[in-house]
Amino acid sequence: MRKILTIGEILVEIVATTKGNGFLEAQPLIGPFPSGAPAIFIDQVGKLKTPCAIISRVGNDDFGQLNLNRLMADQVDISGISIAEGETTGSAFVRYQANGDRKFVFNIAHSACGKLEDNPNIEVLLAQCDHLHLMGTALSSPGLKNMALRAVQVIKARGGTLSFDPNLRAEIMTPELCSDLKMILRQTDLFLPSGDELFLFTEAKEEQAAINELFVLGIQEIVLKRGNQGATYFTKEQQINILPHHVDELDPTGAGDSFGGAFISFWINGYSAAEALRYANAAGARAVTLLGPMEGTSTQLELDQFLAQ
Ligand code: ATP
Ligand code: MG
């Protein structure tokens, strides 16, 4: 069975239980929940029993242990996660505003996962894995960027595949980040943007024209996530639309990562694009019904039951 690797941040998320404007007064909170987009993605892959691993770094503290325990329980190979003595695991405090927007207080860049270094276990994983999934944040610090670029090179040179989910807003795009991400994009087999992320790297500002522009770069397959509007799968030859499930959205965080983990897991195990999309659409919809970013990842049984409803 092919093994999937990802690289990136592991953190805890602590959520305000009331809506409002940020954290300027004492208030009720719930958490810590295991989190970090790459961690949610790989947890979803592990829950579907596809061999998988994550390269990351946590502090020697409860926030790190909480994540290690969860990932291990869900069958993720954690040998590539270093435990940094005397450092702190990343964290994010999040509070929803009345209009659905989120206010964050992050500790990521200066946390343990912001200082990823090489270690011998990483070499073993690079030699074992046949597919690499990257997110925009994998290029956000120099250490992480060098590691991500090397992983692309090693895994692609062995005939492996690369998927890429930008997972970032246009407002934080700098010219340097854009040019680094374009380098990744040119080697991407499967691209998974969400909404307007489709246009982050294109001149075109219209959907089909942007899709065509991305195919010219060498991308083979694109899955466009459309939030509560469902999703669309594109190749040069075909297009498959899937309608959303009607669910009560309790916490949208992590929907895209659960969707991506499910799509790639089925895709890599030889299911048709239509089947992979059907499962991914269910994984994304189910994820938003549960509070906490990683709480909504699903087993195959949970997806089958959800789809049978
Ligand atoms: P994230 O916040 O994790 O980055 P994203 O923006 O990458 O999310 P979305 O497009 O929000 O990804 O969600 C991914 C998929 O999950 C959608 O394409 C859809 O299939 C499903 N989904 C998300 N939200 C809903 C919803 N409210 N109802 C039904 N399905 C949903
Ligand atoms: Mg996303």
Side-chain angles (χ1 to χ4, degrees):
M1 232 176 162
R2 295 178 69 192
K3 184 165 179 173
I4 299 176
L5 178 68
T6 195
I7 304 175
E9 69 277 12
I10 287 181
L11 31 137
V12 290
E13 191 165 305
I14 294 153
V15 187
T17 58
T18 58
K19 287 189 177 159
N21 192 25
F23 294 97
L24 293 172
E25 70 277 341
Q27 57 186 282
L29 304 164
I30 185 166
F33 292 108
S35 191
I40 300 165
F41 166 86
I42 211 70
D43 187 74
Q44 176 57 83
V45 174
K47 269 199 177 172
L48 291 170
K49 301 200 185 310
T50 299
C52 62
I54 181 169
I55 295 175
S56 190
R57 198 158 180 269
V58 295
N60 189 6
D61 54 20
D62 285 356
F63 288 176
Q65 197 61 49
L66 171 83
N67 273 286
L68 294 172
N69 291 350
R70 173 66 64 87
L71 293 171
M72 247 186 318
D74 290 342
Q75 317 294 318
V76 177
D77 174 348
I78 59 162
S79 63
I81 305 175
S82 320
I83 301 173
E85 206 54 55
E87 293 184 39
T88 307
T89 302
S91 62
F93 286 74
V94 57
R95 190 178 191 193
Y96 283 89
Q97 294 174 287
N99 65 4
D101 287 350
R102 288 172 278 189
K103 274 256 193 144
F104 287 100
V105 176
F106 286 120
N107 170 31
I108 299 178
H110 300 289
S111 74
C113 69
K115 290 171 244 163
L116 198 56
E117 297 156 355
D118 254 329
N119 76 50
N121 291 349
I122 293 176
E123 295 310 314
V124 175
L125 289 175
L126 291 185
Q128 274 176 359
C129 292
D130 321 279
H131 180 87
L132 177 66
H133 180 72
L134 288 181
M135 295 185 155
T137 45
L139 299 177
S140 59
S141 76
L144 214 58
K145 174 171 145 183
N146 291 337
M147 171 130 13
L149 294 178
R150 206 162 60 79
V152 171
Q153 197 198 7
V154 172
I155 289 176
K156 294 271 316 194
R158 272 210 324 276
T161 43
L162 173 67
S163 51
F164 175 49
D165 177 347
N167 206 34
L168 46 86
R169 288 175 224 294
E171 301 89 74
I172 69 159
M173 188 67 96
T174 61
E176 192 195 344
L177 184 58
C178 188
S179 105
D180 286 342
L181 291 174
K182 270 197 155 162
M183 198 155 55
I184 300 286
L185 207 57
R186 278 188 218 98
Q187 306 193 66
T188 295
D189 301 283
L190 170 64
F191 183 47
L192 297 135
S194 164
D196 285 346
E197 289 170 0
L198 177 65
F199 307 110
L200 280 173
F201 310 103
T202 62
E203 298 281 325
K205 294 296 163 227
E206 183 273 317
E207 188 173 297
Q208 191 57 52
I211 296 281
N212 294 342
E213 212 179 309
L214 291 165
F215 284 141
V216 171
L217 286 178
I219 295 170
Q220 300 293 317
E221 295 166 80
I222 299 171
V223 183
L224 179 60
K225 294 171 276 171
R226 301 183 192 271
N228 63 9
Q229 305 293 303
T232 308
Y233 169 84
F234 300 88
T235 64
K236 279 183 202 144
E237 292 79 29
Q238 67 164 335
Q239 181 173 331
I240 308 171
N241 287 302
I242 192 148
L243 293 171
H245 293 280
H246 291 287
V247 292
D248 286 329
E249 187 179 293
L250 183 64
D251 181 1
T253 308
D257 311 320
S258 302
F259 178 103
F263 186 88
I264 291 166
S265 191
F266 285 99
W267 177 82
I268 213 164
N269 287 315
Y271 284 69
S272 69
E275 257 316 80
L277 191 63
R278 197 169 81 90
Y279 275 117
N281 191 47
R286 194 173 170 276
V288 305
T289 65
L290 294 153
L291 177 66
M294 201 188 279
E295 307 312 301
T297 54
S298 307
T299 62
Q300 174 139 12
L301 180 64
E302 285 165 337
L303 293 181
D304 284 330
Q305 284 171 346
F306 182 89
L307 285 164
Q309 271 167 27

